[in-house]
Amino acid sequence: MAASTAKDGMSGAQTAKSPKKAKVQVDESELLTVPDGWKEPAFSREDNPRGLLEESSFATLFPKYREAYLKECWPLVEKALGDLHIKVSLDLIEGSVTVSTTKKTFDPYAILKARDLIKLLARSVPFEQAVRILQDDVACDIIKIGTMVRNRERFVKRRQRLIGPKGSTLKALELLTNCYVMVQGNTVSALGPYNGLKEVRKVVMDTMKNIHPIYNIKTLMIKQELSKDPDLRMQNWERFLPKFRHKNLSKRKEPKKKSVKKYTPFPPPQPESKVDQELASGEFFLRESVKRRKKMGEIKVKQAEALTKKQEERNKAFIPPKEKPLMKTAKVPTEGKLDIAAIKEKVKKAKTKKLGAPPVIPLPPTSSTTDKKKKKTKDKG
């Protein structure tokens, strides 16, 4: 009996433990996915009532052309950071902006958000977009692209490729990633959710590596459509994404292929000199007067040939071109092939036709003309 009760107790304990394990497994799988519409609760003063122990501060430099804009929007910057109890100062002599915590600051991460805000303002991001960095679900990323391409002309072309014609490529990237992207000088400033910033950095880095942004934009469009389907969220998307092959087109000039001559141990024969040619023809032994006559005769023959060629070219302008006949000459039929019967029929048809103007058809008499004729007959009577 005791053994049976012990066994029953063991089995009860095992049954009690088994659902706990199943629950733990279910909880771990649920933790991997974030539910839709979930937001982290905001950090309030109740979470940190005593504030910060030490003061923290960050400073950044801004270019000269941003001074006028910072003066205009400075009251708005002070108001936005004043809500977080962060002190901000503008130094126009050194060209720097400094942010620091105060005794009233309770959020330790607010100073990092303020640091990102002044960085974005220095990189030509407008205040309306830069102030979004103070939200909890918005981050920023400043990508340095100035040192990625050595050639300046090539760098400018690739940076313009990222912007696209009339900013269309940049606008498409902003719509797909829900981020604000600003290309300025040697940096690209991005502002938005963390997932979008990751995609923006990848597109920018690939563009500077001579990969056109349209390829990455196409994959982002496909991923956006696939994420809408709840069945495909936990599956691998490699089969849906396009695969672009890299074409390695080298621009170097191909070397000319030299024809290899066969090796011969004997040297080539030396060309004959003028003296050797005169000795072979016998001109070497002639007198100078005879040589002059011969040369003059050759010159006169060449002159005569040149004159004839010139005369022929001049005479070509006086040769009339062949005229084409205006009308084709009608072939005169022979007497044997005349069709007399057909000619007779044509003559008969011509006789039946009436020539001249058509005959005038008289109009019917009206009532007025008939009355006049009656009056005339009465008067005669």
Side-chain angles (χ1 to χ4, degrees):
M1 289 293 289
S4 64
T5 52
K7 285 180 182 178
D8 293 338
M10 289 290 288
S11 62
Q14 286 176 358
T15 53
K17 286 180 181 178
S18 60
K20 283 183 181 179
K21 287 182 181 177
K23 281 182 181 178
V24 169
Q25 289 175 358
V26 170
D27 292 336
E28 285 178 358
S29 64
E30 287 179 356
L31 287 171
L32 294 173
T33 57
V34 179
D36 295 335
W38 181 84
K39 283 186 178 182
E40 192 175 350
F43 194 86
S44 62
R45 183 172 283 279
E46 295 174 0
D47 299 323
N48 187 14
R50 295 182 180 180
L52 305 177
L53 295 174
E54 293 185 2
E55 182 182 343
S56 301
S57 63
F58 293 97
T60 185
L61 299 173
F62 60 87
K64 187 71 175 175
Y65 60 86
R66 289 293 288 173
E67 186 178 329
Y69 182 77
L70 287 173
K71 281 182 182 178
E72 290 179 7
C73 69
W74 194 247
L76 298 172
V77 175
E78 286 180 337
K79 186 182 178 183
L81 294 176
D83 297 339
L84 299 173
H85 304 289
I86 289 173
K87 184 183 175 183
V88 59
S89 61
L90 177 66
D91 191 353
L92 297 175
I93 297 168
E94 293 183 359
S96 64
V97 184
T98 309
V99 289
S100 58
T101 57
T102 60
K103 291 181 180 179
K104 293 182 180 180
T105 307
F106 60 89
D107 189 359
Y109 198 71
I111 187 64
L112 299 177
K113 293 280 186 182
R115 178 200 63 183
D116 294 339
L117 174 64
I118 60 174
K119 275 187 180 179
L120 291 170
L121 289 172
R123 295 313 309 155
S124 299
V125 177
F127 174 77
E128 290 79 9
Q129 292 291 337
V131 77
R132 289 172 53 209
I133 195 66
L134 301 177
Q135 300 173 12
D136 290 335
D137 56 345
V138 178
C140 74
D141 188 9
I142 297 172
I143 308 158
K144 294 179 181 178
I145 58 173
T147 57
M148 294 183 71
V149 184
R150 290 183 180 180
N151 192 355
R152 185 67 185 174
E153 292 180 1
R154 198 175 295 167
F155 167 74
V156 172
K157 280 184 181 179
R158 291 180 187 178
R159 186 179 63 183
Q160 185 60 34
R161 192 183 297 166
L162 178 64
I163 298 167
K166 297 181 181 178
S168 58
T169 307
L170 203 65
K171 188 68 178 174
L173 186 63
E174 288 178 350
L175 291 171
L176 290 168
T177 57
N178 295 325
C179 295
Y180 174 81
V181 186
M182 180 73 183
V183 182
Q184 176 68 22
N186 295 332
T187 58
V188 177
S189 305
L191 182 76
Y194 293 95
N195 293 332
L197 293 175
K198 187 179 176 183
E199 297 293 341
V200 169
R201 178 171 273 274
K202 184 179 180 299
V203 173
V204 172
M205 299 287 276
D206 287 348
T207 305
M208 301 314 291
K209 290 176 184 175
N210 203 20
I211 299 170
H212 204 280
I214 197 68
Y215 299 128
N216 288 316
I217 286 170
K218 194 170 184 180
T219 54
L220 285 172
M221 289 171 70
I222 295 165
K223 283 180 181 178
Q224 194 178 35
E225 292 297 322
L226 292 171
S227 63
K228 293 178 182 177
D229 193 352
D231 298 332
L232 296 171
R233 279 188 179 181
M234 303 300 292
Q235 295 182 14
N236 190 10
W237 292 347
E238 288 293 329
R239 55 199 172 104
F240 301 108
L241 300 176
K243 294 177 182 178
F244 302 104
R245 292 180 181 178
H246 181 67
K247 293 180 181 179
N248 189 11
L249 300 173
S250 60
K251 294 183 179 178
R252 70 181 188 86
K253 292 181 180 179
E254 294 182 359
K256 292 181 180 179
K257 294 179 180 179
K258 294 180 180 180
S259 58
V260 181
K261 294 180 180 179
K262 291 182 180 180
Y263 174 72
T264 53
F266 305 104
Q270 290 183 353
E272 291 183 353
S273 63
K274 288 184 178 180
V275 177
D276 293 335
Q277 291 174 2
E278 288 177 358
L279 286 168
S281 60
E283 292 180 7
F284 185 78
F285 303 104
L286 295 174
R287 293 177 184 177
E288 290 184 1
S289 59
V290 178
K291 287 180 182 179
R292 286 174 188 172
R293 286 174 194 170
K294 194 175 182 180
K295 281 184 180 180
M296 289 300 292
E298 290 175 358
I299 291 165
K300 285 180 180 180
V301 170
K302 287 180 181 179
Q303 286 178 352
E305 288 177 358
L307 282 170
T308 51
K309 283 182 181 179
K310 281 185 180 180
Q311 196 64 33
E312 285 175 1
E313 287 177 1
R314 288 173 184 171
N315 292 335
K316 280 181 183 178
F318 299 102
I319 297 169
K322 292 181 180 179
E323 295 182 358
K324 293 180 181 179
L326 297 173
M327 296 281 292
K328 290 184 179 179
T329 53
K331 293 181 180 179
V332 180
T334 55
E335 293 180 358
K337 292 183 180 179
L338 284 171
D339 192 358
I340 298 164
I343 293 166
K344 286 181 178 180
E345 287 179 2
K346 284 182 181 179
V347 172
K348 284 180 182 179
K349 285 179 181 179
K351 284 180 180 180
T352 54
K353 287 181 182 179
K354 292 180 179 180
L355 300 173
V360 179
I361 299 167
L363 293 169
T366 57
S367 59
S368 60
T369 52
T370 51
D371 293 338
K372 286 179 180 178
K373 285 181 180 179
K374 285 179 181 179
K375 283 180 181 181
K376 285 179 180 180
T377 51
K378 283 180 181 179
D379 292 335
K380 287 179 180 179

